[in-house]
């Protein structure tokens, strides 16, 4: 379906029938400027064409008046020029103040904003409002995965740093070398003269500030003029103050007191050079922070071999359509999602599940875009393309989690909102106090500049989002998807983990777990039973057939097959009369039960299995145990959760005996069985705070939503996945322990970052003000302040990068 530039779409709430559709269509058709309204009840969306942009707010108002309000939209912006927490806070306040905006979340690490707003507010209006504040913004297409271009940023910053370094080195050597080696100082002044030396320093410093340092003034000065100063404003103020004072001392020394005629050109140049170095290192590190999601984006191949008019041709993946037959060469990546139609072979799905062992696929099995084919030639039918593939959905989930704000961020936001103005006030106060108590203009200026330069809102702003960015990316590599970033914080505080049984701790389908036979080989008994069950629709029949297939047994044909509800199944196979059923079916048929087989069946029943008996020609010949097998990783997962100091629980709708048997085998602390979905809700509420629930079925959705953190097994239903905050891409319950361990690592990393960012400023701003000087301590120079500030941001990002090895 092609979209006209003036096409509009709204999601309409409250529609439940065809008459609703008619009322919505009538309401929209009556709005001037709205044409060709088309309403889809299944999707809940209204499509129409606009003749003027102002018709959209009128359409939204008309829907609200008709009783079918349009649901809020979510828009994502990419934003340039944000360098610190003050920037991101200012952008967030700008967006939140716009009429129609419900929530706005700005992420410094991903250079993006997520806004939930009234559909009457055009996304471009959001971008324009941010751009007007000095931060160029663009509306981001939802379908295209995005990463901020930290690599491009790093290259530009590296170039600027090297230029600044070449210009600054002569300055630094002339001034610092002269202080360190008096003979060098005397030689330099004798060769050039003081005034000539200062003029050369003026030219070099001006080149640094006007060239590579221009970025600080281009962003910082307009922000200062708007009375909204940020990190660049502090650098611009500090460097220009040192440059301006030194320029006056060079060209108009008579304006200053005789003992205050000094130059600080090297301080201005070194400040800019060191901060450019810090920004370059930070951009490099931030680029590595997005490596996980970048690798996911790069997994999708560019082309695929597809059948077209009887030939196999190579076409761009973007041109694939649902239903196409794609041919897959050995070692090639699967282009998009599909169902295998030809060939069998192993496919490496480690990018999807985090599990290194390849999975053997046969015709009818699903294959996922981005996974790697083994040594077989395969063909598959395309079932999803573009933004609908599993890989695209995973990337979207990771991006959304990375854009989320944790509750702990609220404290950071409150502090950074006043941080830069407070630092500027402290700088002025420092200058005034030095003038009052020391009367030294040069020292007062140095102290005031040091205060401006050493303050670092960058580290504060990056402390939380960079850890989330790296942590959620690492989670995706481990097969753990955080649908909401705040699940990182709630999961780290977990005390008890509750599991659904069927499909979560068990395989979710019955299987043959044991067989006993008398006067017949067990495999022969299985062969005859499977032959009789081949035409049955009963779930237990599938278990018997599956076991026979796994053993490679050839099944003879069955005749006179008759299934009687509650009384088992009768058939003739190879001329023998068979009866398959429970003990009651044997008794009703007058067959004498074999004591050894009955004893075995009773033992299986006590362990939660379902016994099934086989009689041949009126004689009890075999007994089989059918049970939902426990997942092989389940016991290890429970043990790992106990090692992490967590309690475990199982909440199941199954009968008490079966649930307790599974609980005993796995070592689960608390078992609640025989409950309906409402009972699961009550059981979760009884667990108290710090509750995690893990499930996979539609009946688990309410419990997943009610728990503080819901974890859905990714092999389960879409409804369960939509209700959860965390999704395990594979079916391995060990992913629960991995998710909790990862969330704890992320929160520990965030606390370390916040301690460093706040502690650094609390400790060093007073030193820069000269608080240690009266006690014989040092006065911090602006150059050291610039180096320390640059190191602060690099430390925070580098610390977050350690999470790439977590889990």
């Amino acid at each position: 379906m092609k979209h006209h530039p003036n096409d509009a779409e709204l999601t309409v709430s409250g529609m439940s029938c065809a008459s609703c559709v008619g009322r919505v269509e009538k309401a929209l058709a009556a709005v001037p400027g709205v044409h060709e309204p088309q309403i889809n009840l299944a999707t809940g969306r209204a499509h129409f064409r606009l003749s003027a942009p102002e018709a959209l707010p009128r359409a939204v108002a008309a829907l609200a008046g008709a009783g079918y309000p349009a649901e809020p939209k979510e828009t994502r912006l990419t934003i340039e020029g944000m360098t610190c927490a003050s920037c991101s806070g200012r952008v967030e306040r700008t967006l939140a103040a716009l009429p129609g905006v419900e929530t706005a979340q700005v992420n410094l690490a991903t250079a993006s904003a997520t806004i939930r707003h009234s559909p009457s507010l055009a996304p471009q209006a959001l971008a324009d409002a941010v751009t007007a504040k000095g931060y160029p913004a663009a509306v981001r297409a939802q379908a295209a995965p995005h990463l901020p271009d930290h690599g491009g940023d790093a290259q530009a910053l590296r170039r600027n740093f090297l230029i600044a370094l070449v210009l600054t080195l002569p300055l630094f050597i002339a001034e610092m070398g002269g202080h360190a080696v008096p003979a060098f100082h005397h030689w330099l002044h004798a060769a050039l003269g003081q005034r000539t030396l200062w003029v050369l320093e003026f030219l070099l410093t001006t080149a640094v500030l006007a060239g590579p340092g221009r970025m600080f003034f281009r962003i910082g000065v307009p922000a200062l003029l708007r009375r909204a100063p940020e990190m660049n404003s502090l650098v611009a103020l500090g460097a220009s103050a040192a440059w301006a004072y030194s320029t006056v001392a060079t060209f108009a020394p008579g304006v200053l007191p005789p003992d205050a005629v000094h130059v600080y050109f090297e301080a201005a140049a070194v400040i800019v050079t060191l901060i450019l170095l810090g920004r370059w290192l930070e951009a490099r590190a931030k680029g590595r922070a997005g490596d996980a999601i970048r690798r996911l984006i790069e997994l999708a191949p560019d082309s695929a071999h597809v059948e077209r008019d009887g030939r196999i041709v190579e076409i761009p993946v973007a041109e694939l359509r649902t239903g196409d037959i794609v041919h897959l060469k050995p070692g090639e990546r699967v282009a998009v999602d599909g169902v295998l139609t030809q060939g069998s072979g192993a496919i490496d799905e480690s990018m999807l599940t985090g599990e290194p062992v390849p999975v053997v696929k046969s015709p009818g099995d699903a294959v996922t875009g981005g996974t790697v084919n083994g040594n077989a030639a395969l063909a598959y039918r395309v079932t999803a393309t573009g933004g609908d593939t599993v890989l695209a959905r995973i990337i979207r989930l990771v991006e959304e989690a990375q854009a989320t704000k944790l509750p702990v961020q609220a404290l950071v936001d409150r502090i950074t909102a006043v941080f830069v103005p407070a630092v500027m006030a402290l700088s002025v106060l420092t200058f005034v106090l030095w003038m009052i108590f020391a009367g030294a203009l040069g020292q007062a200026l140095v102290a005031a500049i040091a205060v401006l330069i050493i303050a670092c809102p960058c580290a504060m702003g990056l402390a939380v989002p960079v850890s989330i960015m790296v942590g959620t990316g690492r989670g995706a590599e481990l097969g753990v998807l955080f649908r909401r970033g705040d699940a990182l914080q709630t999961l780290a505080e977990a005390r008890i983990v509750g599991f659904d049984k069927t499909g979560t701790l068990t395989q979710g389908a019955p299987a043959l777990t044991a067989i006993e036979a008398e006067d017949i080989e067990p495999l022969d008994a299985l062969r005859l039973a499977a032959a009789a069950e081949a035409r049955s629709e009963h779930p237990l029949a599938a278990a018997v057939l599956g076991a026979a297939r796994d053993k490679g047994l050839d099944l003879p044909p069955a005749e006179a097959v008759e299934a009687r509800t509650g009384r088992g199944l009768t058939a003739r196979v190879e001329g023998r009369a068979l009866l398959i059923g429970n003990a009651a079916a044997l008794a009703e048929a007058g067959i004498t039960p074999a004591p050894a087989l009955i004893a075995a069946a009773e033992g299986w029943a006590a362990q939660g299995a379902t016994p099934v008996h086989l009689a041949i020609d009126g004689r009890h010949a075999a007994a089989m145990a059918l049970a939902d097998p426990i997942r092989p990783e389940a016991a290890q997962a429970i043990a790992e959760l106990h090692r992490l100091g967590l309690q475990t629980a199982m909440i199941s709708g199954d009968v008490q005996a079966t649930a307790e048997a599974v609980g005993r085998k796995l070592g689960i602390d608390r078992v609640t069985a025989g409950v309906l979905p409402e009972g699961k809700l009550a059981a979760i509420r009884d667990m108290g705070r710090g509750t995690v629930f893990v499930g996979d079925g539609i009946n688990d959705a309410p419990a997943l939503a009610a728990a503080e953190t819901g974890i859905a097994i990714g092999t389960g239903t879409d409804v369960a996945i939509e209700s959860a905050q965390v999704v395990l891409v594979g079916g391995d319950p060990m992913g629960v322990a991995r998710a909790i361990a990862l969330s704890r690592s992320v929160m520990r990393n965030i606390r370390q970052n916040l301690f460093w960012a706040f502690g650094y400023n609390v400790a060093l701003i007073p030193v820069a003000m000269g608080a240690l000087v009266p006690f014989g301590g040092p006065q911090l120079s602006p150059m050291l302040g610039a180096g320390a500030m640059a190191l602060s941001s690099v430390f925070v990002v580098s610390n977050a990068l350690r999470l790439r090895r977590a889990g």
Side-chain angles (χ1 to χ4, degrees), residues 25-165:
E25 194 168 306
K26 186 177 178 182
L28 287 173
V31 176
V34 172
H35 308 283
E36 304 172 32
Q38 296 179 352
I39 318 302
N40 187 317
L41 179 62
T43 62
R45 291 193 176 96
H47 303 263
F48 48 92
R49 189 161 291 176
L50 298 171
S51 57
E54 57 269 19
L56 182 59
R58 291 200 292 263
V60 173
L63 288 172
Y68 302 95
E71 292 183 2
K73 289 181 69 174
E74 188 170 277
T75 294
R76 296 194 72 181
L77 303 179
T78 53
I79 303 169
E80 299 175 20
M82 294 193 301
T83 56
C84 67
S86 297
C87 303
S88 57
R90 191 161 298 112
V91 170
E92 192 166 289
R93 289 191 294 276
T94 297
L95 289 167
L98 294 174
V101 171
E102 287 186 11
T103 59
Q105 293 187 338
V106 178
N107 190 304
L108 178 62
T110 58
S112 67
T114 303
I115 307 101
R116 187 174 168 83
H117 60 94
S118 164
S120 62
L121 182 60
Q124 190 56 46
L126 299 168
D128 292 345
V130 174
T131 302
K133 287 293 181 182
Y135 303 96
V139 179
R140 192 177 126 203
Q142 292 286 28
H146 164 81
L147 273 175
D149 185 20
H150 293 307
D153 291 346
Q155 284 187 344
L157 286 164
R158 178 178 179 271
R159 184 174 61 249
N160 285 339
F161 161 67
L162 291 175
I163 293 170
L165 181 65

Side-chain angles (χ1 to χ4, degrees), residues 566-607:
R567 292 182 175 83
L569 176 144
T570 57
R572 291 194 71 80
V573 177
E574 294 180 341
R576 288 182 277 186
L578 304 186
L579 168 65
I580 304 170
N582 54 22
L586 292 181
E588 188 174 299
I591 296 170
T592 303
L597 297 180
I598 292 296
E602 288 173 350
W604 296 331
Q607 294 296 314

